[in-house]
Amino acid sequence: MPAGLELKPRSIKRDLIALTAFCAVVYALGLTTHGLTNWQESQRVLVARDMQQAGEWIVPTVHGVPYLAKPPIIYWCQITLANTLGRDVGVFELRLTVALGGWLGVVLTYLAARSLLRPRDNELDPSPRNFADHAAWWSALMLATGVLYVRSSRIGELDILLVAPTVLAIWGLWIAWRRHIEARQASVLGLSMASVGTVLAVLVKGPPPLLAIMLSLYPAIHYWYGRTEHQPRRTPWLIAAGLAIVAAGVGVFIAREPGAKFDEWFGVAFFALAAGAIVYAFAPGFTPKPFVGVLKAWTRTHPVSVPLLGFAALWGWGKLAELRIGAAAVDAAAGREADDNLRLLIPGSPLNNLEAAAFGVGAGSILAIVAAIWLIKDWKPTLQRHGPGLLVVVCWAALGLLAFSALGKGVPRYLTPLWPAIAMLGGVWLASALRDFAWAKPLRAIMTIVIAALAIGQAAWYGYVRERLYADRSPRAFVQDLQRPELAINPDRLGGLDLWNPALDFYVAQHAERWHDDGPHAAPPGVVSRPLAELRRDASDPTQPYTLLYSRPVGVPLEQDAKRTKLLELGFAVQTIPTDAAWLVEHRREEVVAVHVWAVSSDGRAAPTP
């Protein structure tokens, strides 16, 4: 008899109801209490509202200007919700979209984990099935309360919408592989799920989610037949090759970057070790007999047609966009997106990604680290006990982390498609501990308290506390204050000096122009920045002043306000607009101030105050 708890069967229906209620509390309380703050979420709601008002479904736009940074699914979701409710797209529709995306990701992770971690159907002992049910339950709970997962489900960034289709695609591919293992047949259901998931994932964010999907299953198949099914002899040359790759990588870096920082050293060592480990792990699968098994399994899981369907969907959307705005505009947008996001072998990226993975899934991240140590220590017996589904989860997490580190900038939210795999690793170890360890009851109690605390704390933070402590990070109250009738501010004559934020445009309900002085400047993509010399012509009538917003360090005296001084030097009269609400930017280090400006008269004297 095991020393731990007896893992009893779990009801799928009860678990799904409980997870839905749990996610409703964590993701849906106080959806709109806090205004738009994050640049990404502000841009998403601004684009969706623009598309809705124009009746546009193909080409995302900002104030009528095409904005093709991302495919349109997140905008379709917001527009559909708003049209259903009979209203304009707003913060509620955006936040509800990502909350539903987070909930669906949790539910599909639970269902996929039950399948991935379940033993083969010809095994009669029900205890491994019960193990998979419990591992799936804890995986879903830990994912639902993950720090970065909750953040993505509460802030309107599109990355959370990748989770559900990515899990669906990987689950479908696993069903197809399992069908091949058990009956040497293809699975129409599995391949259909994989195809739908791939197409949806690509229409959320383009090609990047294909990395997580393809690297989860196909390397797992290759490893399984190369090292598990055929049990290769020890191959010292593989170890030698791996060490040579490590030494070569580190040596080249030493020669080129003698004064590198720690994160750069760490990144080079990470890439080199990863390359050596890949050679050692996967080389046996290329020997003749195992490779025949690999090819047979691949043909039943369609490694070409499944991703091609995703690319075909993206290509089709691009062609439809070309019919609206021309091929040159679409190609230019694709080039900008690739230049901004595709960064090869940045040394600092691995450390950033590992730090995010160490806390992004909350308790799941911590237990995944424990699981990694456990798997390294007892890899072969653990893999034989749990089967190839566990190998899929390991490849999903490990190779996905490597790929996003090698090809990306080290931005934590880019790892969102990997959070379910990390949660599953934590769930596997926790279920094993509850089954095998004498201290299973205290461990279960501790995990229950931790997950409850994370759920309550994050629901309270995003629902209520954040607005009470940091309301000044959003321009909502600031813009509402500027709209007081006694200030008589004309929204058609309002803009920012070296300042533009999509949240500002959203709350003003029209485009706030961006201005710059004659020096160097950098405007956000798609935003036109005009020189202040043109503003002098537009603001020549003192009875119709222009309202200008700019930021300055918090607490700076008026005489040390560099931008105000610059405006005076350029021939503007400047009148500060009193506001009761604050808007802080640059991590709350700078405050936004509003001023009326108008050009001085031709004789050099300031025009009278309007």
Side-chain angles (χ1 to χ4, degrees), residues 94-217:
L94 174 68
R95 300 263 175 83
L96 183 58
T97 293
V98 296
L100 290 173
W103 162 75
L104 190 57
V106 169
V107 167
L108 286 178
T109 295
Y110 168 78
L111 295 173
R114 287 178 68 114
S115 176
L116 282 160
L117 303 175
R118 198 183 72 187
R120 299 181 183 182
D121 288 338
N122 60 3
E123 296 185 26
L124 301 178
D125 181 7
S127 59
R129 295 173 181 269
N130 299 343
F131 169 87
D133 296 350
H134 284 262
W137 168 252
W138 288 105
S139 298
L141 285 177
M142 289 187 288
L143 178 67
T145 54
V147 176
L148 294 182
Y149 191 87
V150 174
R151 182 183 187 277
S152 294
S153 301
R154 296 294 313 227
I155 294 177
E157 298 171 346
L158 61 80
D159 297 84
I160 194 64
L161 300 187
L162 290 174
V163 176
T166 299
V167 173
L168 181 65
I170 294 171
W171 183 14
L173 290 174
W174 160 246
I175 290 174
W177 183 23
R178 184 168 185 148
R179 180 66 174 168
H180 167 71
I181 293 173
E182 296 175 349
R184 295 297 187 266
Q185 296 176 355
S187 170
V188 175
L189 172 63
L191 293 174
S192 298
M193 291 168 58
S195 299
V196 171
T198 300
V199 168
L200 291 175
V202 169
L203 288 179
V204 169
K205 201 180 178 181
L210 287 177
L211 285 173
I213 295 170
M214 303 306 290
L215 289 175
S216 62
L217 191 90

Side-chain angles (χ1 to χ4, degrees), residues 123-448:
E123 296 185 26
L124 301 178
D125 181 7
S127 59
R129 295 173 181 269
N130 299 343
F131 169 87
D133 296 350
H134 284 262
W137 168 252
W138 288 105
S139 298
L141 285 177
M142 289 187 288
L143 178 67
T145 54
V147 176
L148 294 182
Y149 191 87
V150 174
R151 182 183 187 277
S152 294
S153 301
R154 296 294 313 227
I155 294 177
E157 298 171 346
L158 61 80
D159 297 84
I160 194 64
L161 300 187
L162 290 174
V163 176
T166 299
V167 173
L168 181 65
I170 294 171
W171 183 14
L173 290 174
W174 160 246
I175 290 174
W177 183 23
R178 184 168 185 148
R179 180 66 174 168
H180 167 71
I181 293 173
E182 296 175 349
R184 295 297 187 266
Q185 296 176 355
S187 170
V188 175
L189 172 63
L191 293 174
S192 298
M193 291 168 58
S195 299
V196 171
T198 300
V199 168
L200 291 175
V202 169
L203 288 179
V204 169
K205 201 180 178 181
L210 287 177
L211 285 173
I213 295 170
M214 303 306 290
L215 289 175
S216 62
L217 191 90
Y218 297 104
I221 291 175
H222 192 100
Y223 184 96
W224 183 259
Y225 289 100
R227 283 196 166 272
T228 304
E229 288 282 305
H230 294 279
Q231 295 293 334
R233 297 189 302 271
R234 292 184 180 274
T235 49
W237 66 271
L238 289 177
I239 300 176
L243 292 175
I245 292 173
V246 173
V250 175
V252 169
F253 185 71
I254 291 174
R256 295 182 59 185
E257 302 289 343
K261 298 178 180 179
F262 171 76
D263 61 339
E264 296 173 322
W265 275 100
F266 181 89
V268 171
F270 176 87
F271 289 135
L273 286 170
I278 288 173
V279 170
Y280 178 75
F282 295 103
F286 288 103
T287 55
K289 189 174 181 180
F291 196 59
V292 171
V294 170
L295 290 178
K296 288 181 178 179
W298 280 2
T299 58
R300 298 258 166 70
T301 52
H302 291 226
V304 176
S305 61
V306 170
L308 275 181
L309 284 172
F311 281 113
L314 190 64
W315 177 86
W317 170 65
K319 286 300 179 181
L320 291 174
E322 284 182 9
L323 295 176
R324 300 291 188 91
I325 61 175
V330 174
D331 292 342
R336 286 194 300 269
E337 190 66 12
D339 291 342
D340 185 53
N341 292 288
L342 185 60
R343 308 291 178 85
L344 297 178
L345 300 177
I346 296 179
S349 180
L351 187 59
N352 291 338
N353 286 340
L354 287 172
E355 288 176 350
F359 72 89
V361 196
S365 288
I366 297 172
L367 294 190
I369 295 171
V370 178
I373 299 171
W374 167 58
L375 289 172
I376 292 171
K377 180 176 179 292
D378 298 310
W379 173 242
K380 287 186 178 180
T382 303
L383 187 59
Q384 288 290 350
R385 183 176 190 180
H386 293 286
L390 177 60
L391 183 59
V392 173
V393 175
V394 171
C395 289
W396 182 359
L399 295 181
L401 183 63
L402 172 61
F404 283 110
S405 297
L407 301 175
K409 300 181 292 186
V411 179
R413 61 184 172 85
Y414 291 179
L415 302 180
T416 304
L418 307 183
W419 298 147
I422 293 175
M424 288 183 197
L425 287 177
V428 168
W429 182 87
L430 181 57
S432 299
L434 295 177
R435 178 191 60 194
D436 300 334
F437 294 169
W439 37 275
K441 285 186 178 180
L443 177 61
R444 183 175 62 182
I446 291 171
M447 287 305 303
T448 301

Side-chain angles (χ1 to χ4, degrees), residues 499-516:
L499 174 71
W500 183 83
N501 189 300
L504 176 63
D505 278 19
F506 177 81
Y507 288 118
V508 175
Q510 64 184 64
H511 179 48
E513 295 180 292
R514 187 183 191 276
W515 303 89
H516 65 271

Side-chain angles (χ1 to χ4, degrees), residues 520-584:
H521 65 281
V527 177
V528 176
S529 185
R530 298 172 59 189
L532 284 175
E534 295 185 13
L535 181 59
R536 279 185 52 81
R537 294 193 297 269
D538 291 349
S540 58
D541 185 354
T543 63
Q544 299 183 25
Y546 194 93
T547 303
L548 199 61
L549 311 179
Y550 65 86
S551 64
R552 66 185 180 192
V554 174
V556 168
L558 190 64
E559 61 272 12
Q560 296 179 19
D561 186 337
K563 289 183 179 177
R564 183 186 181 92
T565 301
K566 183 68 175 180
L567 288 169
L568 293 172
E569 292 174 351
L570 291 174
F572 289 97
V574 182
Q575 180 187 52
T576 301
I577 300 174
T579 56
D580 296 326
W583 178 22
L584 303 183

